[in-house]
PDB file of all heavy atoms in Angstrom:
ATOM      1  N   ILE N1153     -21.365  32.339  12.784  1.00 97.00           N
ATOM      2  CA  ILE N1153     -22.780  32.339  12.397  1.00 97.00           C
ATOM      3  C   ILE N1153     -22.852  32.177  10.885  1.00 97.00           C
ATOM      4  O   ILE N1153     -22.086  32.809  10.147  1.00 97.00           O
ATOM      5  CB  ILE N1153     -23.478  33.658  12.803  1.00 97.00           C
ATOM      6  CG1 ILE N1153     -23.503  33.802  14.328  1.00 97.00           C
ATOM      7  CG2 ILE N1153     -24.899  33.705  12.249  1.00 97.00           C
ATOM      8  CD1 ILE N1153     -24.068  35.131  14.794  1.00 97.00           C
ATOM      9  N   ASN N1154     -23.770  31.344  10.428  1.00 96.00           N
ATOM     10  CA  ASN N1154     -24.031  31.203   8.999  1.00 96.00           C
ATOM     11  C   ASN N1154     -25.516  31.454   8.757  1.00 96.00           C
ATOM     12  O   ASN N1154     -26.346  30.584   9.050  1.00 96.00           O
ATOM     13  CB  ASN N1154     -23.637  29.803   8.518  1.00 96.00           C
ATOM     14  CG  ASN N1154     -22.134  29.606   8.527  1.00 96.00           C
ATOM     15  OD1 ASN N1154     -21.421  30.169   7.702  1.00 96.00           O
ATOM     16  ND2 ASN N1154     -21.639  28.825   9.470  1.00 96.00           N
ATOM     17  N   PRO N1155     -25.880  32.627   8.263  1.00 97.00           N
ATOM     18  CA  PRO N1155     -27.294  32.945   8.043  1.00 97.00           C
ATOM     19  C   PRO N1155     -27.966  32.044   7.019  1.00 97.00           C
ATOM     20  O   PRO N1155     -29.182  31.902   7.018  1.00 97.00           O
ATOM     21  CB  PRO N1155     -27.259  34.397   7.535  1.00 97.00           C
ATOM     22  CG  PRO N1155     -25.916  34.926   7.949  1.00 97.00           C
ATOM     23  CD  PRO N1155     -25.002  33.753   7.921  1.00 97.00           C
ATOM     24  N   TYR N1156     -27.150  31.438   6.125  1.00 97.00           N
ATOM     25  CA  TYR N1156     -27.690  30.607   5.056  1.00 97.00           C
ATOM     26  C   TYR N1156     -26.954  29.283   5.003  1.00 97.00           C
ATOM     27  O   TYR N1156     -25.783  29.179   5.379  1.00 97.00           O
ATOM     28  CB  TYR N1156     -27.548  31.320   3.703  1.00 97.00           C
ATOM     29  CG  TYR N1156     -28.192  32.681   3.673  1.00 97.00           C
ATOM     30  CD1 TYR N1156     -27.424  33.843   3.822  1.00 97.00           C
ATOM     31  CD2 TYR N1156     -29.570  32.818   3.515  1.00 97.00           C
ATOM     32  CE1 TYR N1156     -28.018  35.097   3.811  1.00 97.00           C
ATOM     33  CE2 TYR N1156     -30.166  34.061   3.506  1.00 97.00           C
ATOM     34  CZ  TYR N1156     -29.391  35.196   3.652  1.00 97.00           C
ATOM     35  OH  TYR N1156     -29.984  36.433   3.645  1.00 97.00           O
ATOM     36  N   ARG N1157     -27.650  28.254   4.521  1.00 97.00           N
ATOM     37  CA  ARG N1157     -27.027  26.970   4.230  1.00 97.00           C
ATOM     38  C   ARG N1157     -27.092  26.764   2.730  1.00 97.00           C
ATOM     39  O   ARG N1157     -28.153  26.902   2.112  1.00 97.00           O
ATOM     40  CB  ARG N1157     -27.729  25.837   4.979  1.00 97.00           C
ATOM     41  CG  ARG N1157     -27.730  26.024   6.480  1.00 97.00           C
ATOM     42  CD  ARG N1157     -28.388  24.874   7.222  1.00 97.00           C
ATOM     43  NE  ARG N1157     -27.539  23.689   7.239  1.00 97.00           N
ATOM     44  CZ  ARG N1157     -27.824  22.600   7.957  1.00 97.00           C
ATOM     45  NH1 ARG N1157     -28.950  22.550   8.673  1.00 97.00           N
ATOM     46  NH2 ARG N1157     -27.013  21.559   7.951  1.00 97.00           N
ATOM     47  N   GLY N1158     -25.953  26.414   2.145  1.00 97.00           N
ATOM     48  CA  GLY N1158     -25.832  26.436   0.699  1.00 97.00           C
ATOM     49  C   GLY N1158     -25.442  27.831   0.263  1.00 97.00           C
ATOM     50  O   GLY N1158     -25.594  28.798   1.020  1.00 97.00           O
ATOM     51  N   CYS N1159     -24.919  27.952  -0.961  1.00 97.00           N
ATOM     52  CA  CYS N1159     -24.484  29.275  -1.429  1.00 97.00           C
ATOM     53  C   CYS N1159     -24.633  29.377  -2.935  1.00 97.00           C
ATOM     54  O   CYS N1159     -24.079  28.567  -3.691  1.00 97.00           O
ATOM     55  CB  CYS N1159     -23.034  29.534  -1.033  1.00 97.00           C
ATOM     56  SG  CYS N1159     -22.466  31.205  -1.449  1.00 97.00           S
ATOM     57  N   GLU N1160     -25.367  30.388  -3.352  1.00 97.00           N
ATOM     58  CA  GLU N1160     -25.668  30.564  -4.770  1.00 97.00           C
ATOM     59  C   GLU N1160     -24.476  31.060  -5.575  1.00 97.00           C
ATOM     60  O   GLU N1160     -24.497  31.012  -6.802  1.00 97.00           O
ATOM     61  CB  GLU N1160     -26.841  31.543  -4.941  1.00 97.00           C
ATOM     62  CG  GLU N1160     -27.480  31.476  -6.305  1.00 97.00           C
ATOM     63  CD  GLU N1160     -28.708  32.360  -6.423  1.00 97.00           C
ATOM     64  OE1 GLU N1160     -29.017  33.090  -5.459  1.00 97.00           O
ATOM     65  OE2 GLU N1160     -29.358  32.323  -7.476  1.00 97.00           O
ATOM     66  N   HIS N1161     -23.418  31.508  -4.925  1.00 98.00           N
ATOM     67  CA  HIS N1161     -22.228  31.945  -5.659  1.00 98.00           C
ATOM     68  C   HIS N1161     -21.697  30.827  -6.553  1.00 98.00           C
ATOM     69  O   HIS N1161     -21.128  31.084  -7.599  1.00 98.00           O
ATOM     70  CB  HIS N1161     -21.137  32.405  -4.689  1.00 98.00           C
ATOM     71  CG  HIS N1161     -21.381  33.777  -4.162  1.00 98.00           C
ATOM     72  ND1 HIS N1161     -20.783  34.258  -3.021  1.00 98.00           N
ATOM     73  CD2 HIS N1161     -22.145  34.799  -4.618  1.00 98.00           C
ATOM     74  CE1 HIS N1161     -21.162  35.492  -2.795  1.00 98.00           C
ATOM     75  NE2 HIS N1161     -22.007  35.842  -3.749  1.00 98.00           N
ATOM     76  N   GLY N1162     -21.837  29.582  -6.111  1.00 97.00           N
ATOM     77  CA  GLY N1162     -21.466  28.449  -6.957  1.00 97.00           C
ATOM     78  C   GLY N1162     -19.980  28.221  -7.111  1.00 97.00           C
ATOM     79  O   GLY N1162     -19.556  27.590  -8.095  1.00 97.00           O
ATOM     80  N   CYS N1163     -19.166  28.690  -6.184  1.00 97.00           N
ATOM     81  CA  CYS N1163     -17.717  28.494  -6.283  1.00 97.00           C
ATOM     82  C   CYS N1163     -17.419  26.993  -6.270  1.00 97.00           C
ATOM     83  O   CYS N1163     -17.755  26.299  -5.317  1.00 97.00           O
ATOM     84  CB  CYS N1163     -16.999  29.183  -5.130  1.00 97.00           C
ATOM     85  SG  CYS N1163     -17.400  30.943  -5.000  1.00 97.00           S
ATOM     86  N   VAL N1164     -16.794  26.511  -7.321  1.00 97.00           N
ATOM     87  CA  VAL N1164     -16.621  25.069  -7.466  1.00 97.00           C
ATOM     88  C   VAL N1164     -15.699  24.504  -6.399  1.00 97.00           C
ATOM     89  O   VAL N1164     -15.800  23.333  -6.022  1.00 97.00           O
ATOM     90  CB  VAL N1164     -16.097  24.735  -8.887  1.00 97.00           C
ATOM     91  CG1 VAL N1164     -14.655  25.195  -9.062  1.00 97.00           C
ATOM     92  CG2 VAL N1164     -16.245  23.251  -9.183  1.00 97.00           C
ATOM     93  N   TYR N1165     -14.805  25.317  -5.853  1.00 97.00           N
ATOM     94  CA  TYR N1165     -13.813  24.849  -4.888  1.00 97.00           C
ATOM     95  C   TYR N1165     -14.310  24.933  -3.445  1.00 97.00           C
ATOM     96  O   TYR N1165     -13.564  24.615  -2.520  1.00 97.00           O
ATOM     97  CB  TYR N1165     -12.546  25.701  -5.009  1.00 97.00           C
ATOM     98  CG  TYR N1165     -12.840  27.184  -4.947  1.00 97.00           C
ATOM     99  CD1 TYR N1165     -13.161  27.805  -3.738  1.00 97.00           C
ATOM    100  CD2 TYR N1165     -12.829  27.963  -6.094  1.00 97.00           C
ATOM    101  CE1 TYR N1165     -13.465  29.151  -3.675  1.00 97.00           C
ATOM    102  CE2 TYR N1165     -13.123  29.315  -6.044  1.00 97.00           C
ATOM    103  CZ  TYR N1165     -13.434  29.905  -4.831  1.00 97.00           C
ATOM    104  OH  TYR N1165     -13.742  31.247  -4.780  1.00 97.00           O
ATOM    105  N   CYS N1166     -15.536  25.373  -3.201  1.00 97.00           N
ATOM    106  CA  CYS N1166     -16.006  25.682  -1.851  1.00 97.00           C
ATOM    107  C   CYS N1166     -15.919  24.472  -0.928  1.00 97.00           C
ATOM    108  O   CYS N1166     -16.552  23.445  -1.166  1.00 97.00           O
ATOM    109  CB  CYS N1166     -17.441  26.197  -1.901  1.00 97.00           C
ATOM    110  SG  CYS N1166     -18.091  26.648  -0.274  1.00 97.00           S
ATOM    111  N   PHE N1167     -15.163  24.605   0.156  1.00 95.00           N
ATOM    112  CA  PHE N1167     -14.991  23.493   1.085  1.00 95.00           C
ATOM    113  C   PHE N1167     -16.243  23.227   1.916  1.00 95.00           C
ATOM    114  O   PHE N1167     -16.318  22.223   2.628  1.00 95.00           O
ATOM    115  CB  PHE N1167     -13.800  23.743   2.016  1.00 95.00           C
ATOM    116  CG  PHE N1167     -13.977  24.917   2.947  1.00 95.00           C
ATOM    117  CD1 PHE N1167     -14.637  24.779   4.156  1.00 95.00           C
ATOM    118  CD2 PHE N1167     -13.471  26.169   2.616  1.00 95.00           C
ATOM    119  CE1 PHE N1167     -14.799  25.858   5.017  1.00 95.00           C
ATOM    120  CE2 PHE N1167     -13.627  27.251   3.470  1.00 95.00           C
ATOM    121  CZ  PHE N1167     -14.300  27.092   4.671  1.00 95.00           C
ATOM    122  N   ALA N1168     -17.247  24.124   1.846  1.00 96.00           N
ATOM    123  CA  ALA N1168     -18.488  23.922   2.596  1.00 96.00           C
ATOM    124  C   ALA N1168     -19.472  23.014   1.858  1.00 96.00           C
ATOM    125  O   ALA N1168     -20.483  22.601   2.426  1.00 96.00           O
ATOM    126  CB  ALA N1168     -19.152  25.268   2.884  1.00 96.00           C
ATOM    127  N   ARG N1169     -19.214  22.690   0.624  1.00 97.00           N
ATOM    128  CA  ARG N1169     -20.154  21.885  -0.161  1.00 97.00           C
ATOM    129  C   ARG N1169     -20.558  20.569   0.524  1.00 97.00           C
ATOM    130  O   ARG N1169     -21.736  20.192   0.514  1.00 97.00           O
ATOM    131  CB  ARG N1169     -19.568  21.595  -1.552  1.00 97.00           C
ATOM    132  CG  ARG N1169     -19.642  22.781  -2.511  1.00 97.00           C
ATOM    133  CD  ARG N1169     -19.082  22.415  -3.879  1.00 97.00           C
ATOM    134  NE  ARG N1169     -19.210  23.494  -4.850  1.00 97.00           N
ATOM    135  CZ  ARG N1169     -20.264  23.708  -5.611  1.00 97.00           C
ATOM    136  NH1 ARG N1169     -21.309  22.909  -5.500  1.00 97.00           N
ATOM    137  NH2 ARG N1169     -20.290  24.700  -6.478  1.00 97.00           N
TER     138      ARG N1169
END
Side-chain angles (χ1 to χ4, degrees):
I1153 295 175
N1154 290 288
Y1156 304 100
R1157 302 182 74 172
C1159 185
E1160 197 175 4
H1161 281 161
C1163 305
V1164 70
Y1165 51 75
C1166 182
F1167 65 85
R1169 283 182 176 273

